[in-house]
Amino acid sequence: MKAPRGTQDLLPGITEKWQYVEETLKDLSRRFHYQEIRTPIFEHTELFQRGVGDTTDIVQKEMYTFFDKGERSITLRPEGTASVVRSFVEHKMHGLPNQPTKLFYTGPMFRYERPQQGRMRQFVQFGIEALGSSDPAIDAEVISLAMNCYKELGLQSLKLVLNSLGDQESRESHRQALIDHFAPVKPELCHDCQTRLEQNPLRVLDCKKDRDHPKMADAPAILDYLNDDSRLYFDKVKQYLDAMGIPYEVDPNLVRGLDYYNHTAFEIMSDAEGFGAITTLSGGGRYNGLVEELGGPETPGIGFALSIERLLMALDAENVTLPLEEGLDAYVVSLGEQADLQAAQIVNDLRIAGIQVDRDYQDRKIKGQFKAADRLKARFVLVLGEEELANHQISVKNMETGDQETVAIDQLTEHMKAIV
């Protein structure tokens, strides 16, 4: 038996990297005053049809959807925002006194797509959602948090790409311009884009198959169709980023793959050599209107999401070594049946006291136990033989310096707490 295609086992030696990255992202989020939210791994299918959009590839092609025993249509979550907004509405978080509501999440997502490097059918996403503010300053804050998710871990080859999708009025004007532009060559477009041109023409600009079509080069840019309010909003976002010293590039062709985006849209890319053809690390934007779509009151929102898998790929591409804690605090070597019983108590007491310690469970000789301690990179080896046991003492050896001392067993815990 093997793991299903598009999934992976994360084994010891690798999981430590994941744990370090996840804890770093959580700590950074708390510093920005975002609180953790945890939502179900599966939701009613309608949530993603309404929240993500019927015209998206995610809903049309990529969702893991099934009927449960109650004949209800259930979908494994393909992304995190819709679930967070559903929870925000269901629990009336819009009524909390402190607004905006600032949340972060992390967990597995599921999309049925062709597996490739950095793109799995089950992948882990970390995301941020800020709900309840239409201030351009919160857009800049979210972008800053996204950038610092990578900088905090030591990445430097980063590029922030920015665009505005405008408000509803601006989008409608741009939508019609796109239809007029592509309609004469509609038969030349792929089947998906022919459908998109009728349902959501903005998605045509994001097509991988038709990216080299001549009409793509001079397609109408959304920035040319922004009304005064949308243009002013975008200018303020850029002013805040300038004030925060965050460099960016404006790309009028940047289109996010989800229907709920409006106004600010952004992506963070890796410029690292050898990272791969797909350079996007994360993306996000503003989604005013999504809360109302899911049954809540009028509430603006903005967020972003990143893939932990792609973040780790970027760390490898830039040869960033994470400062992982390796090895044990101590390893207990015991000789004889009575010493073995005493060792079990010592190990348990030390663990309860907060010391990382292990012992032999393979009935090895003393030489084998010392080799095991060395393989596990134990800082101290605690030796308990017949002589030590008779004197109610234990030998404590510093494996780095070679120094050795004898400590009373009833004082061992405090002694170890002082030196590890």
Side-chain angles (χ1 to χ4, degrees):
M1 297 290 289
K2 294 184 177 181
R5 187 166 184 249
T7 67
Q8 62 180 332
D9 296 315
L10 300 176
L11 305 180
I14 299 297
T15 53
E16 288 83 357
K17 292 183 179 180
W18 282 72
Q19 291 163 1
Y20 182 87
V21 166
E22 290 167 351
E23 286 305 314
T24 299
L25 297 180
K26 290 178 181 180
D27 178 68
L28 180 65
S29 300
R30 295 185 190 104
R31 279 185 268 150
F32 276 69
H33 197 219
Y34 286 72
Q35 296 176 296
E36 184 175 12
I37 184 171
R38 302 188 184 190
T39 61
I41 287 179
F42 60 86
E43 301 265 10
H44 294 291
T45 302
E46 182 188 7
L47 171 66
F48 303 112
Q49 291 172 334
R50 293 174 61 184
V52 177
D54 281 332
T55 66
T56 62
D57 285 348
I58 292 176
V59 171
Q60 292 185 348
K61 302 177 181 180
E62 298 173 359
M63 294 201 310
Y64 280 90
T65 298
F66 58 94
F67 286 95
D68 66 10
K69 293 183 179 180
E71 294 302 309
R72 293 171 288 257
S73 183
I74 298 295
T75 295
L76 300 179
R77 61 187 183 194
E79 58 94 51
T81 299
S83 293
V84 171
V85 174
R86 188 268 310 152
S87 181
F88 175 85
V89 173
E90 180 176 347
H91 299 286
K92 297 181 173 58
M93 298 174 75
H94 48 80
L96 297 175
N98 294 323
Q99 296 294 337
T101 301
K102 299 164 67 173
L103 306 167
F104 75 86
Y105 63 86
T106 185
M109 309 292 165
F110 305 84
R111 296 185 193 179
Y112 188 85
E113 55 185 349
R114 185 171 64 86
Q116 53 187 294
Q117 188 179 25
R119 179 170 288 176
M120 308 291 287
R121 290 177 175 173
Q122 176 180 320
F123 59 98
V124 178
Q125 195 174 79
F126 171 84
I128 288 290
E129 313 295 347
L131 295 145
S133 174
S134 58
D135 189 338
I138 198 76
D139 298 38
E141 176 182 286
V142 167
I143 292 172
S144 174
L145 177 48
M147 289 292 289
N148 279 288
C149 284
Y150 300 105
K151 291 183 177 180
E152 191 87 358
L153 290 161
L155 291 175
Q156 298 183 14
S157 299
L158 302 169
K159 180 172 72 172
L160 170 63
V161 180
L162 199 64
N163 192 21
S164 173
L165 303 179
D167 59 12
Q168 188 62 35
E169 180 184 70
S170 302
R171 288 170 65 95
E172 285 299 322
S173 298
H174 184 231
R175 181 181 188 278
Q176 189 58 51
L178 288 173
I179 293 174
D180 294 342
H181 179 77
F182 286 109
V185 297
K186 181 178 178 180
E188 301 173 15
L189 302 177
C190 72
H191 179 267
D192 287 341
C193 279
Q194 292 182 33
T195 303
R196 289 166 180 156
L197 192 58
E198 299 175 0
Q199 298 179 345
N200 187 356
L202 189 64
R203 295 291 323 289
V204 174
L205 302 178
D206 200 31
C207 180
K208 304 297 186 292
K209 295 180 181 178
D210 291 329
R211 70 173 80 186
D212 295 324
H213 192 284
K215 277 288 188 178
M216 289 291 185
D218 60 348
I222 180 63
L223 296 180
D224 295 332
Y225 292 84
L226 296 182
N227 57 24
D228 290 342
D229 288 343
S230 295
R231 193 177 304 280
L232 179 61
Y233 191 96
F234 191 42
D235 287 342
K236 286 185 176 179
V237 172
K238 291 185 289 184
Q239 288 170 13
Y240 279 113
L241 291 175
D242 291 338
M244 297 163 75
I246 300 175
Y248 57 86
E249 295 180 13
V250 175
D251 181 359
N253 293 318
L254 173 62
V255 178
R256 298 295 301 145
L258 307 177
D259 282 358
Y260 50 59
Y261 284 114
N262 46 58
H263 283 299
T264 307
F266 67 92
E267 289 185 353
I268 298 173
M269 302 178 179
S270 172
D271 278 342
E273 185 177 349
F275 179 67
I278 303 174
T279 60
T280 301
L281 293 172
S282 65
R286 182 163 281 281
Y287 47 81
N288 301 345
L290 181 57
V291 174
E292 298 95 296
E293 177 65 30
L294 298 183
E298 183 176 347
T299 307
I302 183 171
F304 78 89
L306 64 83
S307 159
I308 302 291
E309 288 86 348
R310 295 194 66 77
L311 193 162
L312 288 166
M313 282 177 57
L315 292 172
D316 288 341
E318 293 195 32
N319 297 314
V320 176
T321 300
L322 299 177
L324 304 179
E325 292 185 8
E326 295 183 316
L328 292 170
D329 292 329
Y331 189 93
V332 176
V333 171
S334 59
L335 300 171
E337 186 175 342
Q338 291 302 314
D340 190 56
L341 290 172
Q342 182 70 63
Q345 178 187 341
I346 289 172
V347 167
N348 191 59
D349 289 346
L350 291 175
R351 287 169 173 169
I352 292 172
I355 296 169
Q356 188 183 27
V357 58
D358 210 344
R359 52 163 297 193
D360 176 57
Y361 293 103
Q362 297 293 97
D363 197 26
R364 297 183 180 98
K365 303 297 184 182
I366 186 169
K367 186 176 180 180
Q369 293 185 54
F370 266 96
K371 285 184 176 180
D374 191 54
R375 286 194 301 271
L376 295 171
K377 299 179 181 179
R379 293 173 56 199
F380 295 91
V381 172
L382 315 182
V383 182
L384 185 64
E386 293 181 359
E387 183 178 346
E388 287 87 1
L389 189 62
N391 295 321
H392 303 289
Q393 295 176 329
I394 190 167
S395 176
V396 178
K397 182 176 182 179
N398 185 319
M399 298 300 286
E400 182 178 350
T401 65
D403 294 339
Q404 191 164 319
E405 58 185 323
T406 301
V407 179
I409 290 177
D410 60 4
Q411 297 176 13
L412 177 64
T413 298
E414 291 304 315
H415 179 79
M416 293 304 298
K417 286 169 66 175
I419 64 176
V420 298

